């Protein structure tokens, strides 16, 4: 089923508005570490699901997704107001926020691929010196 083109345009615009508002309008330090990755709008244009990811303060820090979720929940009403003001549509979609799992899933897949490559290299080394079990010609001496 093809997605509604108007819903796609609206989703892209909502993503831009929310990302900009988080960056410029809010003083909550927990929101500084959030990146809006995608928005999906329902076909009736009444609900928008905003996907986000968070990062740690330093390179070695783990992201605090719980704090990010709380900050977004707290800012949801004001974000909806900002979206409504800038969209200029009759009905402002309700906003819900969901953690984007794609970055974690892709990192996990990359880790699995690396492990598989290492195991393939180990097997290739073992194969170099391998000799077949038994005699060279297992059919020697059989009557036709």
């Amino acid at each position: 089923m093809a997605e509604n083109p108007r819903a796609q345009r609206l989703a892209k615009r909502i993503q831009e508005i929310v990302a900009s508002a988080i960056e410029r309008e809010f003083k909550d330090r927990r929101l500084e570490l959030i990146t809006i990755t995608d928005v999906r709008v329902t076909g009736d244009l009444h609900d928008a699901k905003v996907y986000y990811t968070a990062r740690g303060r330093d390179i070695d820090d783990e992201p605090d997704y719980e704090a990010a979720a709380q900050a977004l929940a707290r800012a949801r009403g004001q974000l909806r107001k900002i979206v409504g003001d800038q969209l200029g549509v009759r009905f402002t979609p309700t906003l819900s926020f969901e953690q984007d799992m794609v970055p974690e899933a892709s990192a996990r897949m990359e880790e699995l691929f690396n492990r598989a490559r290492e195991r393939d290299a180990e097997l290739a080394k073992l194969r170099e010196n391998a000799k077949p079990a038994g005699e060279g010609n297992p059919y020697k001496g059989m009557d036709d």
Side-chain angles (χ1 to χ4, degrees), residues 3-16 39 41 45 87:
E3 204 172 307
N4 181 350
R6 184 164 183 227
Q8 289 176 337
R9 286 191 309 270
L10 195 63
K12 183 169 176 49
R13 184 70 182 123
I14 290 171
Q15 181 177 358
E16 292 168 359
V39 174
V41 177
L45 310 178
L87 276 182

Side-chain angles (χ1 to χ4, degrees), residues 69-129:
Q70 290 171 355
L72 287 168
R74 185 168 180 223
R76 183 174 55 207
Q78 193 172 356
L79 282 170
R80 185 172 184 225
K81 168 96 170 75
I82 292 169
V83 167
D85 290 346
Q86 292 187 25
L87 276 182
V89 293
R90 184 183 308 171
F91 181 82
T92 303
T94 58
L95 301 178
S96 63
F97 296 94
E98 190 168 311
Q99 181 184 345
D100 191 351
M101 300 305 288
V102 172
E104 288 80 13
S106 64
R108 174 76 176 130
M109 290 299 294
E110 193 62 36
E111 177 187 324
L112 292 173
F113 285 138
N114 287 336
R115 284 179 40 199
R117 281 187 210 104
E118 289 171 4
R119 184 66 180 141
D120 285 347
E122 289 173 18
L123 290 174
K125 277 186 179 180
L126 291 173
R127 225 178 291 126
E128 287 174 2
N129 300 324

